[in-house]
Amino acid sequence: MSLLVSAGSATGNEMAQAVTPPGELPLEWHDFTGDGKSDLVAREQSTGNVYVFRHSGRVNGTLTFDQKILVLQGAQNFTWMGVNDVTGDSIADLVARLDDGTMVTYPGVGGLNGLDTFEAPIVVGSGWGIVNQLQLSDVTGDGYADISGVWSTTGELFVWPSTGVFDGTNTWGPKELVGTGWNAYNWVGSNEATSDDEKPDLVARKASDGTLQLYPHQQFYDGTKTYVGPVQVGKGYQSVQPVTMTDLNLDGFPDIIAKRGGDLIFYPNAGGYDGDNTFRAPITLGTTWSGMDLVA
C-alpha cells in the first residue's frame, strides 16, 4: 500500500500553494477566532455534525468554552481529526481521515463562520487506515506541520515530513522511521510538554497500566534518535480517554484534555517535568460530551 503518492500538478482549489513558516505560532494551532486561545473541535457521532467550541478566554469550569458552533455536517465517515495550520496562512485547518483511509484537509477561511468556516476538502493522501495515534506537529523543526503516527501492524512510529508546499497529495513526503515499540501505547499526544525549546515532545499512555510516559524531543530531528526516554509523568489514566494536548489555561505549557464518561476534563500542566505530578488533578470543562467521539 502506498501513502501520499504523487498526484502531479493540482488544479482549481488544489492548486499548489507555497506554505509560509508560521513563525511564532504555537506547535499545536487550535485558534479559529484569532484571539490566541485554544478552541476545540468535536464530532458528534450520531449526526456526523462537527462543532467548534470557542474558548472564552479564561478557564472557568463548564464556562471555559462559551459557544458551540456547527461548522461541518455529514462527517460520519471521519475516523480521526487533527487541527493545525497546514496551508501556511496562520489559520487553523482541519485534517481528517475518512473510513476508506483517505486523508483530507479542510482549509480554514479565517474566523469562526458557521458552515463557511472551512473551504471544501482537498485530498492529501490515501492508505492511512493502517496508521494509529495520528498527530500534527512540527517534528522536523522546519516551521511546517508534519504528520506522525504508529503503524498498527508493527508498532513503528513514523513521521511524514511536510514538503513545505500545500499541494494535495504532495503536501507530505514519504514516511521516515523515528521509533519502534509504540504498539505498547493506546494514546499519543504531541506538544512542547515540559520545556520551552519549541520542539514537540510526545506523551503516551501505556495500555498495560495507564501510566503516562514522556518522550522528550532532542535538539535536532534525527530519525530514531529524535526522541529519548521514556520518563514517567503520570499514573492512573486508564479510566479516562485522553483526546488532545493544548495550552488551555494560557500559562505557556500544554495541558491534557480527556473524556471521562460524559464529562470533558483537563489536567493542567504543573509548569514542567515533575514526575507523576507533571499534570495536576483534573478540572471539569463540560458534562454533555458522551456523544462526542472525536475531539481535536
Side-chain angles (χ1 to χ4, degrees), residues 40-77:
L40 285 185
V41 181
R43 194 272 301 271
E44 187 175 46
Q45 186 175 24
S46 62
T47 64
N49 289 338
V50 177
Y51 300 92
V52 169
F53 291 78
R54 192 183 76 168
H55 197 302
S56 67
R58 58 181 182 151
V59 175
N60 186 21
T62 58
L63 301 179
T64 301
F65 296 101
D66 62 0
Q67 286 192 36
K68 171 186 171 184
I69 309 296
L70 177 65
V71 294
L72 286 178
Q73 294 175 306
Q76 289 95 335
N77 60 343

Side-chain angles (χ1 to χ4, degrees), residues 42-161:
R43 194 272 301 271
E44 187 175 46
Q45 186 175 24
S46 62
T47 64
N49 289 338
V50 177
Y51 300 92
V52 169
F53 291 78
R54 192 183 76 168
H55 197 302
S56 67
R58 58 181 182 151
V59 175
N60 186 21
T62 58
L63 301 179
T64 301
F65 296 101
D66 62 0
Q67 286 192 36
K68 171 186 171 184
I69 309 296
L70 177 65
V71 294
L72 286 178
Q73 294 175 306
Q76 289 95 335
N77 60 343
F78 285 11
T79 59
W80 170 81
M81 297 191 308
V83 174
N84 212 325
D85 173 27
V86 300
T87 60
D89 56 5
S90 299
I91 296 170
D93 308 305
L94 179 67
V95 181
R97 180 183 60 188
L98 309 184
D99 54 14
D100 64 357
T102 301
M103 192 78 76
V104 297
T105 294
Y106 291 80
V109 301
L112 194 50
N113 303 306
L115 294 174
D116 295 320
T117 297
F118 299 106
E119 296 178 8
I122 297 171
V123 174
V124 291
S126 60
W128 285 87
I130 199 170
V131 187
N132 295 328
Q133 316 305 343
L134 289 159
Q135 298 291 324
L136 280 171
S137 59
D138 182 15
V139 177
T140 60
D142 61 359
Y144 308 116
D146 311 306
I147 296 182
S148 61
V150 177
W151 206 261
S152 62
T153 56
T154 64
E156 293 170 305
L157 178 67
F158 291 103
V159 62
W160 287 260

